[in-house]
Each structure stands twice: as C-alpha cells, then as structure tokens.
C-alpha cells in the first residue's frame, strides 16, 4: 500500500462544477503540499498545510491531521484548471512522499 | 524573477552514453532535489542535497550521480549503468522550516529519451 493515496485517479467535469480531490496518508507528517502539474510537465506549488484550511482564489485546501486526510476543492471549475494535481507529504525533516496524482479535465 | 532553470528540456541519448542534466536556482534555497517521474507513478527521489558539498542518496539512486559544488547548482548525471533512464526528470528546491518544506519550487523538467 502506498503511503500517500489520492482519489480519484481521473476526474472529468463540466465548466462551473465544484471539484474535490482527496489525499490520504499513513505516516506522520510535518506538512502536506498540494501541487499542480500542467501538460508539458512543470509543477507549481499551490498550498502547504500543517493544519486547518487555506484558500487562494477558487482553490481551497483542508487537512484533518487526526484522520490523516486532506482535500483540495476547486469552486466554479474552468477548463484552464485541467491539470494533474499531486499531493505530497513531508516526513522527518528532509523527505517528501508523493501521491500518484489526480488527472482533472474540465470541459467547456 | 527567482526560480529554477533546468536544461535541456529534451534530450536524446544513445545506450551506453552518460548525460548530465543541469539544475540552477537563484532562490537562495539550501535544499535541492532530483526526482524522476514515470507514467502512473508518483515522483521518486533520486538524490538530494541540503548543503553545499554534501548530498544523500534517495530511493532510486542507482545509475545516477550528482554534485553540489555551489549552492545554486545541482547537476544530475545519468550514467550508462542506469538500466531504464527514459523518464521525465524534475529538479526542486526548498527551505526547510519548523513545519517541514516551505516554498517548494520545481523546475520545468527535462525529458530524457534513450534511443
């Protein structure tokens, strides 16, 4: 079993829909990151969370440390949100473990 | 603008050749990382370095080598000993704080294809 599991693996949505991507982990962590990878491969950091909730524009990330679970929400989704979303957890002081990603396609 | 520059973006190699992928950052980050990404898999750590002149093996270091002679630079050499080198390679850097990695930054990646 992977230490970081994401669901769903693939997600399609119509423009305007509310999107939720989930990340569960089985190790103790110092922080959790949500990353976005566009076609072409570059990765952008969206959020770093160690507790609670963060919001940036239409993106909201939450984390429940007790349940070892995080969610990334996208409100009013748009085709430009189409990308692979990756959850990564920081363990110890120098290691990151990555999920396999959720591929999101938003259609107009 | 601060960031990470990886080069080349695309690279083709014949079997038996060593190739070196460049990674340069101007963020003044102490820690730098090399990851490999294969279809359907999460990023896997090849090597990392927390300070100049020091680096550590990651989970899949066999067939790879690195150096960290300057804070800004962390080149990765894919040697002929790497059995399956065709992949997408990502360089990253960060500052480690109380809550773990802060300001995680990635380069645009280098796609290596072995012919």
């Amino acid at each position: 079993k992977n230490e970081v599991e994401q669901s769903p693996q693939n997600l399609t949505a119509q423009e305007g829909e509310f999107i939720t991507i989930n990340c569960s982990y089985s190790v103790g962590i110092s922080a959790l990151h949500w990353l976005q990878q566009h076609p072409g491969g570059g990765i952008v950091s969206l959020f770093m969370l160690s507790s609670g909730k963060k919001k940036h524009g239409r993106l909201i990330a939450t984390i429940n440390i007790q349940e070892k679970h995080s969610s990334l929400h996208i409100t009013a989704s748009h085709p430009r949100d189409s990308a692979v979303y990756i959850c990564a957890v920081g363990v110890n002081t120098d290691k990151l473990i990555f999920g396999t990603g959720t591929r999101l396609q938003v259609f107009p | 603008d601060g960031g990470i520059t990886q080069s080349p973006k695309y690279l083709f190699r014949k079997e038996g050749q060593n190739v070196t992928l460049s990674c340069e950052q101007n963020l003044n980050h102490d820690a730098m990382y090399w990851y490999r990404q294969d279809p359907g898999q999460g990023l896997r750590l090849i090597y990392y370095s927390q300070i100049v002149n020091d680096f550590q093996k990651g989970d899949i270091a066999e067939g790879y080598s690195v150096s960290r002679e300057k804070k800004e630079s962390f080149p990765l050499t894919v040697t002929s000993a790497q059995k399956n080198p065709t992949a997408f390679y990502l360089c990253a850097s960060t500052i480690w704080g109380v809550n773990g990695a802060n300001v995680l930054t990635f380069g645009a990646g280098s796609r290596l294809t072995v012919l």
Side-chain angles (χ1 to χ4, degrees), chain A residues 30-31 33 35 37 40-43 45 48 50 86 90-96 98-100, chain B residues 9 33 35 37 40-43 48 50 59 88 90 96 98-102 104 106-108:
Chain A
S30 53
H33 299 258
L35 311 169
Q37 185 172 32
I43 294 178
S45 178
M48 186 196 79
S50 55
I86 301 170
V91 297
N92 302 321
T93 59
D94 58 8
K95 186 176 180 182
L96 291 163
F98 293 80
T100 55
Chain B
K9 192 171 177 65
Y33 303 81
Y35 294 97
Q37 187 177 37
Q41 297 192 39
L43 273 69
Y48 66 101
Q50 291 186 301
D59 301 317
F88 188 61
L90 283 154
W96 281 87
V98 175
N99 291 324
N102 294 320
L104 189 60
F106 285 84

Side-chain angles (χ1 to χ4, degrees), chain A residues 38-60:
Chain A
H38 277 282
I43 294 178
V44 174
S45 178
L46 298 175
F47 295 104
M48 186 196 79
L49 293 164
S50 55
S51 65
K53 175 180 174 179
K54 286 190 176 180
K55 184 176 189 291
H56 182 71
R58 295 180 294 105
L59 301 178
I60 303 167

Side-chain angles (χ1 to χ4, degrees), chain B residues 26-102:
Chain B
N26 60 3
L27 301 163
N28 201 34
H29 286 176
D30 289 312
M32 296 187 74
Y33 303 81
W34 274 106
Y35 294 97
R36 171 180 170 139
Q37 187 177 37
D38 294 283
Q41 297 192 39
L43 273 69
R44 293 183 290 167
L45 181 64
I46 305 172
Y47 268 98
Y48 66 101
S49 169
Q50 291 186 301
I51 57 172
V52 175
N53 292 324
D54 186 55
F55 48 83
Q56 307 294 329
K57 291 183 178 181
D59 301 317
I60 55 165
E62 185 176 351
Y64 300 98
S65 66
V66 293
S67 62
R68 187 86 186 275
E69 296 176 2
K70 298 186 300 181
K71 188 175 186 178
E72 303 80 20
S73 180
F74 191 42
L76 173 74
T77 297
V78 184
T79 75
S80 56
Q82 168 50 234
K83 295 285 188 279
N84 184 22
T86 295
F88 188 61
Y89 293 88
L90 283 154
C91 179
S93 70
T94 191
I95 298 172
W96 281 87
V98 175
N99 291 324
N102 294 320

